[in-house]
Amino acid sequence: MPEGPQIIFLKEQLEPFIEQEILAAKGTAKNIPYSDLRGKVLTEIKTFGKELLLCFPAFTLRLHLMLFGKYAINHQSKRELQLGLEFVTGEVNFYACDCRLIHESLDKVYDWSTDVLHPTFDSDKALEKLFRQPKRLICDALLDQKILAGVGNGIKNEILFRRHIHPASLVGQIPEADLIYLVRDCASFSAEYLSWKQEGTEKESWQVYRQNTCPRDQVPLRKEKIGKSGRSCYYCEKCQILYLSNS
Ligand SMILES: [Zn+2]
């Protein structure tokens, strides 16, 4: 699933289309008025967590790539096209994604301060929300988009490894200082991940996510679906501490 940094990277690739009008729109996404899109000028592109927001004067097109979404810029994939937009200088095509129109002001729809890559990200507010859920598993809490928008499975696994925290730890049992660092890591690691995308070094940069061996201990990593989110956790039993209550 594309995480916040990947969506910002996508936004950067689409920026040349800003101030261009849509020449043609097609696809199978429901509730998209394809013929009405023709002639509309893309004024701005924003992101919120894992959502891409294409802004037009009277509405916003919101795209969420979900678990298996893909996009293609200036070429086409053989999959079923959800939404294709043709501009003067090129085209963008989206597949297996969720497309919606937003007519309200985005400031009313989104709380930007929950987005870990937004300049207004409020780590204290995220921390307060975590403190209110002491019995939740940290691997689930980090993926909660209402607390930390943009954090996905890769970011979750890497920051837990860096802080030596086992993914099945309970939020309320993790030392407060570690929890504070973990929330800050969501923002700083996401920025680092974005730079991997920009520099094309993503594949060799992951330490544990989709890896086999702990780089600290040279022992095999565990891969397990933990928590209600059912997403894979990659962790080292030797160097990541499991914080559980005794009761
Ligand atoms: Zn280890």
Side-chain angles (χ1 to χ4, degrees):
M1 177 197 278
E3 308 183 44
Q6 289 160 284
I7 299 301
I8 292 196
F9 184 63
L10 168 60
K11 166 187 177 264
E12 291 173 351
Q13 291 173 285
L14 296 177
E15 275 167 357
F17 296 139
I18 290 176
E19 294 187 10
Q20 292 192 27
E21 71 177 65
I22 296 176
L23 299 182
K26 58 185 174 183
T28 54
K30 285 176 187 153
N31 307 319
I32 298 294
Y34 295 96
S35 55
D36 293 347
L37 290 179
R38 205 178 311 129
K40 299 293 187 296
V41 175
L42 178 65
T43 53
E44 202 178 355
I45 307 174
K46 295 184 176 195
T47 68
F48 176 76
K50 301 170 179 174
E51 300 173 30
L52 178 74
L53 303 162
L54 303 178
C55 308
F56 298 88
F59 61 90
T60 302
L61 251 176
R62 168 204 181 268
L63 291 127
H64 192 303
L65 294 175
M66 315 300 286
L67 272 178
F68 304 108
K70 288 268 183 290
Y71 63 88
I73 298 169
N74 297 332
H75 67 97
Q76 290 165 8
S77 163
K78 282 182 183 154
R79 294 160 154 228
E80 182 184 292
L81 180 69
Q82 288 282 305
L83 177 67
L85 300 174
E86 189 188 331
F87 296 92
V88 177
T89 60
E91 61 177 345
V92 57
N93 298 299
F94 296 97
Y95 308 89
C97 65
D98 182 66
C99 315
R100 287 176 206 188
L101 280 191
I102 298 176
H103 292 283
E104 299 97 314
S105 147
L106 294 181
D107 289 341
K108 282 188 185 155
V109 178
Y110 295 104
D111 175 2
W112 306 103
S113 70
T114 60
D115 181 339
V116 300
L117 275 167
H118 196 272
T120 64
F121 173 60
D122 187 340
S123 58
D124 289 344
K125 200 158 83 180
L127 207 56
E128 277 169 33
K129 289 180 191 168
L130 288 176
F131 285 146
R132 275 185 243 130
Q133 312 184 356
K135 292 193 185 333
R136 204 166 178 197
L137 300 188
I138 189 65
C139 61
D140 281 336
L142 289 176
L143 291 178
D144 188 334
Q145 300 300 295
K146 291 193 179 82
I147 303 177
L148 297 157
V151 173
N153 213 29
I155 297 170
K156 172 198 86 180
N157 280 294
E158 291 294 305
I159 64 172
L160 286 172
F161 175 74
R162 288 182 177 202
R163 291 278 162 216
H164 299 251
I165 297 168
H166 191 294
S169 296
L170 295 174
V171 170
Q173 298 297 319
I174 296 171
E176 194 176 318
D178 284 326
L179 210 54
I180 292 169
Y181 278 123
L182 210 48
V183 168
R184 287 186 194 162
D185 289 345
C186 289
S188 60
F189 178 79
S190 294
E192 195 181 322
Y193 182 2
L194 175 60
S195 69
W196 299 348
K197 295 294 298 179
Q198 290 161 336
E199 291 156 10
T201 57
E202 181 188 345
K203 270 191 183 157
E204 59 267 34
S205 298
W206 297 106
Q207 290 193 284
V208 292
Y209 181 54
R210 292 177 172 160
Q211 306 301 307
N212 299 313
T213 309
C214 171
R216 284 195 284 252
D217 302 301
Q218 308 305 322
V219 297
L221 289 169
R222 295 287 304 257
K223 182 193 173 191
E224 215 177 310
K225 285 188 167 63
I226 300 175
K228 288 184 181 159
S229 62
R231 304 297 308 280
S232 293
C233 290
Y234 296 79
Y235 64 98
C236 173
E237 282 181 309
K238 203 169 171 189
C239 63
Q240 288 179 254
I241 302 166
L242 180 60
Y243 295 100
L244 284 179
S245 65
N246 298 322
S247 54

